[in-house]
């Protein structure tokens, strides 16, 4: 469904350039439910905005289904956003219109695309557990309820892919579980491809695959140890370490990113020695050259 290769995004502001993504690789299968984690400023929202067609990549390749997001025209991009993607923003105020009811909020994007399907809008609100509150204005709903309205809105165009940026960022853990359950049902029952950006590791423990971004590059991939354990019991408070196996990501050119902590622990700055003993690759600090200070 998603194929990014060497994806680069550079933001230019006045005379400053920020390289937010510096050659990122990522593949996501059709029907996958996965999470992206990473520190603040690592490029998560940048990636999601590009995948959602809200922002343009600077270089590299990024394909979603039949769409080449580097090549598309502005008109095609509008169609792509309307037909293919559902988006839940990091700040849900961007999704919602406070002076309208929950139902009107879900119908708004349908109105913009020319066809309001009220029964479907109601069904979506029922789906996210807001059947009883659909005629309430947004400001009469709690933060967690508003976030669920945002999920219903993101589905109003029947997208193939859902992109959620910190969907549980400002709700308590019970609501966060509820939201996660909604995602899992959408994934299973509608076959929706879902990419969730989060810094919540317990949430990341509830999906099959987690990709960590570090400095604008995918660095580590966490895969579920036992993918067959798919029932509720497998989704305890376990979190990332307990549930998943971690792998360093190796790109096509054979590059892999070594965590900064490892390098600084060994005092490796810009050069390392690498040895292959037939089974393992061993990275060490280079020995000082003859006559050089250690
Ligand atoms: N519109 C912009 N103009 C200039 N720089 C930007 C812009 N948007 C993001 N950046 C920069 O790009 C980098 C990546 O930002 P991004 O928003 O993708 O991070 P993030 O991983 O989503 O962080 P957070 O977890 O805090 O949401 C940061 O250094 C940020 O300052
Ligand atoms: Mg962000």
């Amino acid at each position: 469904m998603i194929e990014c290769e060497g994806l680069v995004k550079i933001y230019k502001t006045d005379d400053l350039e920020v390289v937010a993504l510096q050659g990122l690789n990522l593949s996501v299968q059709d029907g996958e439910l996965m999470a992206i984690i990473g520190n603040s400023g690592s490029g998560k929202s940048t990636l999601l905005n590009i995948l959602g067609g809200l922002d343009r990549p600077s270089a590299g390749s990024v394909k979603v289904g039949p769409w080449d997001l580097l090549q598309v025209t502005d008109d095609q991009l509008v169609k792509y956003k309307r037909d293919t993607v559902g988006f839940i923003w990091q700040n849900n105020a961007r999704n919602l219109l406070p002076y309208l009811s929950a139902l009107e909020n879900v119908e708004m994007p349908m109105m913009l695309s020319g066809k309001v399907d009220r029964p479907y809008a109601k069904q979506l609100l029922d789906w996210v557990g807001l059947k009883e509150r659909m005629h309430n204005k947004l400001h009469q709903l709690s933060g967690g309820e508003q976030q669920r309205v945002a999920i219903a809105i993101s589905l109003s165009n029947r997208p193939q892919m859902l992109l959620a940026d910190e969907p549980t960022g400002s709700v308590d853990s019970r609501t966060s579980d509820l939201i996660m359950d909604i995602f899992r049902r959408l994934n299973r029952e509608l076959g929706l491809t879902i990419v969730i950006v989060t810094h919540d590791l317990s949430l990341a423990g509830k999906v099959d695959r987690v990709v960590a971004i570090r400095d604008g590059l995918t660095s580590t991939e966490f895969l579920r140890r036992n993918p067959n354990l798919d029932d509720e019991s497998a989704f305890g408070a376990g979190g990332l370490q307990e549930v998943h196996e971690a792998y360093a990501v190796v790109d096509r050119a054979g590059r892999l990113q070594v965590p900064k902590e490892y390098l600084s622990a060994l005092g490796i700055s810009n050069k390392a020695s690498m040895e292959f003993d037939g089974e393992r690759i061993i990275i060490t600090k280079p020995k000082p050259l003859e006559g050089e200070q250690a």
Side-chain angles (χ1 to χ4, degrees):
M1 184 81 193
I2 301 173
E3 202 63 62
C4 299
E5 249 188 73
L7 180 59
V8 174
K9 176 65 188 182
I10 299 170
Y11 290 109
K12 293 199 176 80
T13 49
D14 297 330
D15 45 11
L16 193 75
E17 280 194 358
V18 180
V19 185
L21 299 175
Q22 40 182 330
L24 178 135
N25 299 319
L26 177 73
S27 309
V28 180
Q29 299 303 311
D30 196 8
E32 206 178 342
L33 168 65
M34 58 93 66
I36 293 174
I37 57 169
N39 290 338
S40 184
S42 57
K44 304 182 299 295
S45 295
T46 302
L47 172 63
L48 222 59
N49 287 339
I50 290 175
L51 292 177
L54 306 168
D55 210 344
R56 292 278 196 161
S58 307
S61 109
V62 44
K63 295 189 177 123
V64 180
W67 302 87
D68 182 336
L69 297 184
L70 202 75
Q71 308 289 349
V72 289
T73 62
D74 288 346
D75 286 349
Q76 287 172 322
L77 204 59
V78 171
K79 191 169 153 39
Y80 168 77
K81 275 189 283 191
R82 201 182 54 211
D83 299 344
T84 310
V85 207
F87 208 95
I88 299 162
W89 276 282
Q90 186 160 10
N91 168 7
N92 81 19
R94 263 181 90 176
N95 289 293
L96 307 171
L97 298 164
Y99 48 88
L100 297 181
S101 72
L103 184 59
E104 288 163 340
N105 264 277
V106 178
E107 287 177 345
M108 182 55 84
M110 295 176 170
M111 205 128 82
L112 296 177
S113 66
K115 190 178 173 295
V116 176
D117 183 345
R118 174 155 295 184
Y120 184 56
K122 287 184 171 170
Q123 188 191 326
L124 287 174
L125 285 163
D126 185 11
W127 206 318
V128 298
L130 292 175
K131 193 177 182 177
E132 314 299 329
R133 308 299 306 271
M134 65 171 84
H135 297 295
N136 284 94
K137 298 258 189 288
L138 261 285
H139 66 82
Q140 294 166 327
L141 300 179
S142 74
E145 288 166 343
Q146 292 186 21
Q147 193 59 323
R148 285 185 275 154
V149 175
I151 296 174
I153 292 173
S154 74
L155 297 169
S156 61
N157 60 342
R158 301 175 191 264
Q160 297 161 34
M161 176 174 85
L162 198 60
L163 304 173
D165 197 349
E166 295 280 7
T168 61
S170 51
V171 299
D172 63 18
S173 64
R174 203 181 64 88
T175 309
S176 161
D177 283 348
L178 201 73
I179 288 175
M180 205 51 215
D181 285 345
I182 293 170
F183 284 144
R184 292 185 52 221
R185 266 182 64 204
L186 291 170
N187 172 253
R188 281 216 203 131
E189 292 175 27
L190 302 182
L192 217 59
T193 306
I194 305 181
V195 179
I196 303 168
V197 161
T198 182
H199 64 266
D200 179 352
L201 295 187
S202 71
L203 198 131
K206 292 173 186 167
V207 300
D208 292 331
R209 187 164 70 108
V210 180
V211 168
I213 297 190
R214 200 191 298 258
D215 301 330
L217 281 171
T218 38
S219 63
T220 315
E221 189 163 311
F222 302 87
L223 293 179
R224 181 170 292 284
R225 284 213 176 91
N226 187 348
N228 299 324
L229 279 182
D230 199 29
D231 62 323
E232 289 302 321
S233 64
F235 294 94
L240 209 51
Q241 301 307 331
E242 215 175 289
V243 186
H244 293 90
E245 202 88 58
Y247 299 94
V249 174
V250 184
D251 75 11
R252 283 205 185 165
R255 282 177 293 237
L256 69 81
Q257 210 181 7
V258 182
K260 277 203 186 79
E261 311 88 79
Y262 292 8
L263 296 177
S264 56
L266 293 180
I268 295 174
S269 50
N270 60 345
K271 276 196 200 78
S273 295
M274 187 151 61
E275 235 179 279
F276 178 51
D277 71 359
E279 272 181 10
R280 293 171 303 169
I281 300 166
I282 303 155
I283 298 172
T284 47
K285 185 178 179 170
K287 293 193 185 66
L289 293 175
E290 208 122 324
E292 206 179 70
Q293 291 291 329

